[in-house]
mmCIF file with all atom_site columns, all heavy atoms in Angstrom:
data_model
loop_
_atom_site.group_PDB
_atom_site.id
_atom_site.type_symbol
_atom_site.label_atom_id
_atom_site.label_alt_id
_atom_site.label_comp_id
_atom_site.label_asym_id
_atom_site.label_entity_id
_atom_site.label_seq_id
_atom_site.pdbx_PDB_ins_code
_atom_site.Cartn_x
_atom_site.Cartn_y
_atom_site.Cartn_z
_atom_site.occupancy
_atom_site.B_iso_or_equiv
_atom_site.pdbx_formal_charge
_atom_site.auth_seq_id
_atom_site.auth_comp_id
_atom_site.auth_asym_id
_atom_site.auth_atom_id
_atom_site.pdbx_PDB_model_num
ATOM 1   N N   . PHE E 1 24  ? -2.964  -3.572 7.191   1.00 85.00 ? 33  PHE E N   1
ATOM 2   C CA  . PHE E 1 24  ? -1.474  -3.344 6.981   1.00 85.00 ? 33  PHE E CA  1
ATOM 3   C C   . PHE E 1 24  ? -0.715  -3.438 8.283   1.00 85.00 ? 33  PHE E C   1
ATOM 4   O O   . PHE E 1 24  ? 0.476   -3.107 8.263   1.00 85.00 ? 33  PHE E O   1
ATOM 5   C CB  . PHE E 1 24  ? -1.277  -1.940 6.409   1.00 85.00 ? 33  PHE E CB  1
ATOM 6   C CG  . PHE E 1 24  ? -1.416  -1.977 4.822   1.00 85.00 ? 33  PHE E CG  1
ATOM 7   C CD1 . PHE E 1 24  ? -1.770  -3.167 4.209   1.00 85.00 ? 33  PHE E CD1 1
ATOM 8   C CD2 . PHE E 1 24  ? -1.118  -0.869 4.113   1.00 85.00 ? 33  PHE E CD2 1
ATOM 9   C CE1 . PHE E 1 24  ? -1.868  -3.149 2.793   1.00 85.00 ? 33  PHE E CE1 1
ATOM 10  C CE2 . PHE E 1 24  ? -1.250  -0.946 2.731   1.00 85.00 ? 33  PHE E CE2 1
ATOM 11  C CZ  . PHE E 1 24  ? -1.594  -2.064 2.108   1.00 85.00 ? 33  PHE E CZ  1
ATOM 12  N N   . ASN E 1 25  ? -1.332  -3.875 9.333   1.00 84.00 ? 34  ASN E N   1
ATOM 13  C CA  . ASN E 1 25  ? -0.665  -4.000 10.684  1.00 84.00 ? 34  ASN E CA  1
ATOM 14  C C   . ASN E 1 25  ? -0.001  -2.654 11.074  1.00 84.00 ? 34  ASN E C   1
ATOM 15  O O   . ASN E 1 25  ? 1.180   -2.601 11.433  1.00 84.00 ? 34  ASN E O   1
ATOM 16  C CB  . ASN E 1 25  ? 0.384   -5.062 10.523  1.00 84.00 ? 34  ASN E CB  1
ATOM 17  C CG  . ASN E 1 25  ? 0.918   -5.454 11.948  1.00 84.00 ? 34  ASN E CG  1
ATOM 18  O OD1 . ASN E 1 25  ? 0.237   -5.143 12.940  1.00 84.00 ? 34  ASN E OD1 1
ATOM 19  N ND2 . ASN E 1 25  ? 2.057   -6.160 12.014  1.00 84.00 ? 34  ASN E ND2 1
ATOM 20  N N   . LEU E 1 89  ? -3.881  7.466  0.631   1.00 86.00 ? 98  LEU E N   1
ATOM 21  C CA  . LEU E 1 89  ? -4.331  7.633  -0.765  1.00 86.00 ? 98  LEU E CA  1
ATOM 22  C C   . LEU E 1 89  ? -5.446  6.701  -1.244  1.00 86.00 ? 98  LEU E C   1
ATOM 23  O O   . LEU E 1 89  ? -5.926  6.917  -2.264  1.00 86.00 ? 98  LEU E O   1
ATOM 24  C CB  . LEU E 1 89  ? -3.093  7.355  -1.606  1.00 86.00 ? 98  LEU E CB  1
ATOM 25  C CG  . LEU E 1 89  ? -2.062  8.461  -1.833  1.00 86.00 ? 98  LEU E CG  1
ATOM 26  C CD1 . LEU E 1 89  ? -0.944  8.014  -2.621  1.00 86.00 ? 98  LEU E CD1 1
ATOM 27  C CD2 . LEU E 1 89  ? -2.719  9.684  -2.579  1.00 86.00 ? 98  LEU E CD2 1
ATOM 28  N N   . TYR E 1 100 ? -16.056 0.280  -13.522 1.00 86.00 ? 109 TYR E N   1
ATOM 29  C CA  . TYR E 1 100 ? -16.839 0.820  -14.701 1.00 86.00 ? 109 TYR E CA  1
ATOM 30  C C   . TYR E 1 100 ? -16.214 0.441  -15.962 1.00 86.00 ? 109 TYR E C   1
ATOM 31  O O   . TYR E 1 100 ? -16.849 0.010  -16.946 1.00 86.00 ? 109 TYR E O   1
ATOM 32  C CB  . TYR E 1 100 ? -17.153 2.345  -14.591 1.00 86.00 ? 109 TYR E CB  1
ATOM 33  C CG  . TYR E 1 100 ? -18.076 2.658  -13.526 1.00 86.00 ? 109 TYR E CG  1
ATOM 34  C CD1 . TYR E 1 100 ? -17.793 3.423  -12.466 1.00 86.00 ? 109 TYR E CD1 1
ATOM 35  C CD2 . TYR E 1 100 ? -19.358 2.147  -13.607 1.00 86.00 ? 109 TYR E CD2 1
ATOM 36  C CE1 . TYR E 1 100 ? -18.700 3.737  -11.437 1.00 86.00 ? 109 TYR E CE1 1
ATOM 37  C CE2 . TYR E 1 100 ? -20.232 2.433  -12.575 1.00 86.00 ? 109 TYR E CE2 1
ATOM 38  C CZ  . TYR E 1 100 ? -19.911 3.237  -11.539 1.00 86.00 ? 109 TYR E CZ  1
ATOM 39  O OH  . TYR E 1 100 ? -20.891 3.469  -10.568 1.00 86.00 ? 109 TYR E OH  1
ATOM 40  N N   . MET E 1 102 ? -14.415 -2.087 -16.699 1.00 81.00 ? 111 MET E N   1
ATOM 41  C CA  . MET E 1 102 ? -14.713 -3.523 -16.995 1.00 81.00 ? 111 MET E CA  1
ATOM 42  C C   . MET E 1 102 ? -16.119 -3.693 -17.346 1.00 81.00 ? 111 MET E C   1
ATOM 43  O O   . MET E 1 102 ? -16.488 -4.447 -18.271 1.00 81.00 ? 111 MET E O   1
ATOM 44  C CB  . MET E 1 102 ? -14.341 -4.304 -15.746 1.00 81.00 ? 111 MET E CB  1
ATOM 45  C CG  . MET E 1 102 ? -14.680 -5.783 -15.706 1.00 81.00 ? 111 MET E CG  1
ATOM 46  S SD  . MET E 1 102 ? -16.356 -6.095 -15.307 1.00 81.00 ? 111 MET E SD  1
ATOM 47  C CE  . MET E 1 102 ? -16.571 -5.073 -13.812 1.00 81.00 ? 111 MET E CE  1
ATOM 48  N N   . ARG E 1 103 ? -17.080 -3.008 -16.674 1.00 81.00 ? 112 ARG E N   1
ATOM 49  C CA  . ARG E 1 103 ? -18.466 -3.110 -17.034 1.00 81.00 ? 112 ARG E CA  1
ATOM 50  C C   . ARG E 1 103 ? -18.746 -2.695 -18.422 1.00 81.00 ? 112 ARG E C   1
ATOM 51  O O   . ARG E 1 103 ? -19.475 -3.414 -19.152 1.00 81.00 ? 112 ARG E O   1
ATOM 52  C CB  . ARG E 1 103 ? -19.360 -2.404 -16.050 1.00 81.00 ? 112 ARG E CB  1
ATOM 53  C CG  . ARG E 1 103 ? -20.587 -3.216 -15.602 1.00 81.00 ? 112 ARG E CG  1
ATOM 54  C CD  . ARG E 1 103 ? -21.450 -2.399 -14.766 1.00 81.00 ? 112 ARG E CD  1
ATOM 55  N NE  . ARG E 1 103 ? -22.024 -1.196 -15.598 1.00 81.00 ? 112 ARG E NE  1
ATOM 56  C CZ  . ARG E 1 103 ? -22.820 -0.357 -15.085 1.00 81.00 ? 112 ARG E CZ  1
ATOM 57  N NH1 . ARG E 1 103 ? -23.257 -0.465 -13.738 1.00 81.00 ? 112 ARG E NH1 1
ATOM 58  N NH2 . ARG E 1 103 ? -23.329 0.649  -15.768 1.00 81.00 ? 112 ARG E NH2 1
ATOM 59  N N   . SER E 1 128 ? -0.280  9.486  -8.425  1.00 82.00 ? 137 SER E N   1
ATOM 60  C CA  . SER E 1 128 ? 1.073   9.180  -8.116  1.00 82.00 ? 137 SER E CA  1
ATOM 61  C C   . SER E 1 128 ? 2.029   10.299 -8.300  1.00 82.00 ? 137 SER E C   1
ATOM 62  O O   . SER E 1 128 ? 2.909   10.509 -7.502  1.00 82.00 ? 137 SER E O   1
ATOM 63  C CB  . SER E 1 128 ? 1.542   7.910  -8.913  1.00 82.00 ? 137 SER E CB  1
ATOM 64  O OG  . SER E 1 128 ? 0.610   7.550  -9.897  1.00 82.00 ? 137 SER E OG  1
ATOM 65  N N   . MET E 1 132 ? 4.092   11.949 -5.314  1.00 81.00 ? 141 MET E N   1
ATOM 66  C CA  . MET E 1 132 ? 5.525   11.894 -5.458  1.00 81.00 ? 141 MET E CA  1
ATOM 67  C C   . MET E 1 132 ? 6.238   13.155 -5.523  1.00 81.00 ? 141 MET E C   1
ATOM 68  O O   . MET E 1 132 ? 7.281   13.291 -4.947  1.00 81.00 ? 141 MET E O   1
ATOM 69  C CB  . MET E 1 132 ? 5.754   11.132 -6.867  1.00 81.00 ? 141 MET E CB  1
ATOM 70  C CG  . MET E 1 132 ? 7.022   10.391 -6.967  1.00 81.00 ? 141 MET E CG  1
ATOM 71  S SD  . MET E 1 132 ? 7.341   9.508  -5.487  1.00 81.00 ? 141 MET E SD  1
ATOM 72  C CE  . MET E 1 132 ? 8.922   10.312 -5.173  1.00 81.00 ? 141 MET E CE  1
ATOM 73  N N   . ASP R 2 75  ? 3.612   -4.919 5.992   1.00 84.00 ? 91  ASP R N   1
ATOM 74  C CA  . ASP R 2 75  ? 3.477   -4.986 7.481   1.00 84.00 ? 91  ASP R CA  1
ATOM 75  C C   . ASP R 2 75  ? 4.219   -3.805 8.006   1.00 84.00 ? 91  ASP R C   1
ATOM 76  O O   . ASP R 2 75  ? 5.449   -3.697 8.131   1.00 84.00 ? 91  ASP R O   1
ATOM 77  C CB  . ASP R 2 75  ? 4.240   -6.244 7.992   1.00 84.00 ? 91  ASP R CB  1
ATOM 78  C CG  . ASP R 2 75  ? 4.090   -6.440 9.470   1.00 84.00 ? 91  ASP R CG  1
ATOM 79  O OD1 . ASP R 2 75  ? 3.764   -5.517 10.151  1.00 84.00 ? 91  ASP R OD1 1
ATOM 80  O OD2 . ASP R 2 75  ? 4.377   -7.559 9.865   1.00 84.00 ? 91  ASP R OD2 1
ATOM 81  N N   . ILE R 2 76  ? 3.345   -2.676 8.210   1.00 85.00 ? 92  ILE R N   1
ATOM 82  C CA  . ILE R 2 76  ? 3.993   -1.393 8.586   1.00 85.00 ? 92  ILE R CA  1
ATOM 83  C C   . ILE R 2 76  ? 4.649   -1.392 9.940   1.00 85.00 ? 92  ILE R C   1
ATOM 84  O O   . ILE R 2 76  ? 5.712   -0.743 10.094  1.00 85.00 ? 92  ILE R O   1
ATOM 85  C CB  . ILE R 2 76  ? 2.904   -0.302 8.491   1.00 85.00 ? 92  ILE R CB  1
ATOM 86  C CG1 . ILE R 2 76  ? 2.299   -0.147 7.099   1.00 85.00 ? 92  ILE R CG1 1
ATOM 87  C CG2 . ILE R 2 76  ? 3.491   1.080  8.859   1.00 85.00 ? 92  ILE R CG2 1
ATOM 88  C CD1 . ILE R 2 76  ? 3.211   0.171  6.026   1.00 85.00 ? 92  ILE R CD1 1
ATOM 89  N N   . ARG R 2 110 ? 4.285   -6.401 17.640  1.00 78.00 ? 126 ARG R N   1
ATOM 90  C CA  . ARG R 2 110 ? 2.903   -6.574 17.829  1.00 78.00 ? 126 ARG R CA  1
ATOM 91  C C   . ARG R 2 110 ? 2.227   -6.882 16.546  1.00 78.00 ? 126 ARG R C   1
ATOM 92  O O   . ARG R 2 110 ? 2.622   -6.368 15.480  1.00 78.00 ? 126 ARG R O   1
ATOM 93  C CB  . ARG R 2 110 ? 2.309   -5.267 18.348  1.00 78.00 ? 126 ARG R CB  1
ATOM 94  C CG  . ARG R 2 110 ? 2.676   -4.957 19.859  1.00 78.00 ? 126 ARG R CG  1
ATOM 95  C CD  . ARG R 2 110 ? 2.198   -3.681 20.217  1.00 78.00 ? 126 ARG R CD  1
ATOM 96  N NE  . ARG R 2 110 ? 2.898   -2.568 19.481  1.00 78.00 ? 126 ARG R NE  1
ATOM 97  C CZ  . ARG R 2 110 ? 2.464   -1.345 19.546  1.00 78.00 ? 126 ARG R CZ  1
ATOM 98  N NH1 . ARG R 2 110 ? 1.562   -0.923 20.230  1.00 78.00 ? 126 ARG R NH1 1
ATOM 99  N NH2 . ARG R 2 110 ? 3.173   -0.452 18.854  1.00 78.00 ? 126 ARG R NH2 1
ATOM 100 N N   . GLU R 2 192 ? -23.620 -1.554 -7.447  1.00 84.00 ? 208 GLU R N   1
ATOM 101 C CA  . GLU R 2 192 ? -22.416 -0.949 -7.738  1.00 84.00 ? 208 GLU R CA  1
ATOM 102 C C   . GLU R 2 192 ? -21.644 -0.583 -6.502  1.00 84.00 ? 208 GLU R C   1
ATOM 103 O O   . GLU R 2 192 ? -20.429 -0.888 -6.287  1.00 84.00 ? 208 GLU R O   1
ATOM 104 C CB  . GLU R 2 192 ? -22.687 0.310  -8.653  1.00 84.00 ? 208 GLU R CB  1
ATOM 105 C CG  . GLU R 2 192 ? -22.844 -0.087 -10.023 1.00 84.00 ? 208 GLU R CG  1
ATOM 106 C CD  . GLU R 2 192 ? -23.300 1.108  -10.902 1.00 84.00 ? 208 GLU R CD  1
ATOM 107 O OE1 . GLU R 2 192 ? -23.286 2.254  -10.325 1.00 84.00 ? 208 GLU R OE1 1
ATOM 108 O OE2 . GLU R 2 192 ? -23.743 0.919  -11.964 1.00 84.00 ? 208 GLU R OE2 1
ATOM 109 N N   . VAL R 2 203 ? -7.797  -3.754 -4.624  1.00 82.00 ? 219 VAL R N   1
ATOM 110 C CA  . VAL R 2 203 ? -7.203  -2.721 -5.502  1.00 82.00 ? 219 VAL R CA  1
ATOM 111 C C   . VAL R 2 203 ? -5.665  -2.537 -5.131  1.00 82.00 ? 219 VAL R C   1
ATOM 112 O O   . VAL R 2 203 ? -5.402  -2.418 -3.967  1.00 82.00 ? 219 VAL R O   1
ATOM 113 C CB  . VAL R 2 203 ? -7.979  -1.429 -5.477  1.00 82.00 ? 219 VAL R CB  1
ATOM 114 C CG1 . VAL R 2 203 ? -7.080  -0.200 -5.876  1.00 82.00 ? 219 VAL R CG1 1
ATOM 115 C CG2 . VAL R 2 203 ? -9.229  -1.536 -6.329  1.00 82.00 ? 219 VAL R CG2 1
ATOM 116 N N   . THR R 2 209 ? 1.441   3.371  -5.575  1.00 74.00 ? 225 THR R N   1
ATOM 117 C CA  . THR R 2 209 ? 2.178   4.365  -4.984  1.00 74.00 ? 225 THR R CA  1
ATOM 118 C C   . THR R 2 209 ? 3.646   4.071  -4.932  1.00 74.00 ? 225 THR R C   1
ATOM 119 O O   . THR R 2 209 ? 4.575   4.845  -5.248  1.00 74.00 ? 225 THR R O   1
ATOM 120 C CB  . THR R 2 209 ? 1.685   4.783  -3.670  1.00 74.00 ? 225 THR R CB  1
ATOM 121 O OG1 . THR R 2 209 ? 1.381   3.584  -2.930  1.00 74.00 ? 225 THR R OG1 1
ATOM 122 C CG2 . THR R 2 209 ? 0.480   5.736  -3.693  1.00 74.00 ? 225 THR R CG2 1
ATOM 123 N N   . MET R 2 212 ? 5.422   4.476  -8.346  1.00 77.00 ? 228 MET R N   1
ATOM 124 C CA  . MET R 2 212 ? 5.806   5.728  -8.764  1.00 77.00 ? 228 MET R CA  1
ATOM 125 C C   . MET R 2 212 ? 6.922   6.318  -7.907  1.00 77.00 ? 228 MET R C   1
ATOM 126 O O   . MET R 2 212 ? 7.845   6.993  -8.475  1.00 77.00 ? 228 MET R O   1
ATOM 127 C CB  . MET R 2 212 ? 4.578   6.764  -8.627  1.00 77.00 ? 228 MET R CB  1
ATOM 128 C CG  . MET R 2 212 ? 3.682   6.654  -9.803  1.00 77.00 ? 228 MET R CG  1
ATOM 129 S SD  . MET R 2 212 ? 4.618   7.304  -11.198 1.00 77.00 ? 228 MET R SD  1
ATOM 130 C CE  . MET R 2 212 ? 3.831   6.540  -12.542 1.00 77.00 ? 228 MET R CE  1
ATOM 131 N N   . MET R 2 216 ? 10.551  7.544  -9.475  1.00 77.00 ? 232 MET R N   1
ATOM 132 C CA  . MET R 2 216 ? 11.087  8.934  -9.185  1.00 77.00 ? 232 MET R CA  1
ATOM 133 C C   . MET R 2 216 ? 12.362  8.844  -8.451  1.00 77.00 ? 232 MET R C   1
ATOM 134 O O   . MET R 2 216 ? 13.290  9.754  -8.620  1.00 77.00 ? 232 MET R O   1
ATOM 135 C CB  . MET R 2 216 ? 10.018  9.639  -8.309  1.00 77.00 ? 232 MET R CB  1
ATOM 136 C CG  . MET R 2 216 ? 8.806   9.906  -9.049  1.00 77.00 ? 232 MET R CG  1
ATOM 137 S SD  . MET R 2 216 ? 8.905   11.411 -10.064 1.00 77.00 ? 232 MET R SD  1
ATOM 138 C CE  . MET R 2 216 ? 7.243   11.445 -10.733 1.00 77.00 ? 232 MET R CE  1
ATOM 139 N N   . ALA R 2 238 ? -10.789 -6.880 -12.857 1.00 86.00 ? 254 ALA R N   1
ATOM 140 C CA  . ALA R 2 238 ? -11.829 -6.717 -13.859 1.00 86.00 ? 254 ALA R CA  1
ATOM 141 C C   . ALA R 2 238 ? -12.349 -7.989 -14.404 1.00 86.00 ? 254 ALA R C   1
ATOM 142 O O   . ALA R 2 238 ? -13.616 -8.300 -14.498 1.00 86.00 ? 254 ALA R O   1
ATOM 143 C CB  . ALA R 2 238 ? -11.295 -5.879 -15.070 1.00 86.00 ? 254 ALA R CB  1
#
Side-chain angles (χ1 to χ4, degrees):
Chain E
F33 272 4
N34 195 18
L98 277 177
Y109 286 118
M111 175 278 312
R112 219 187 64 182
S137 4
M141 204 42 237
Chain R
D91 185 342
I92 301 296
R126 287 174 295 171
E208 280 168 12
V219 159
T225 39
M228 275 296 152
M232 295 278 179

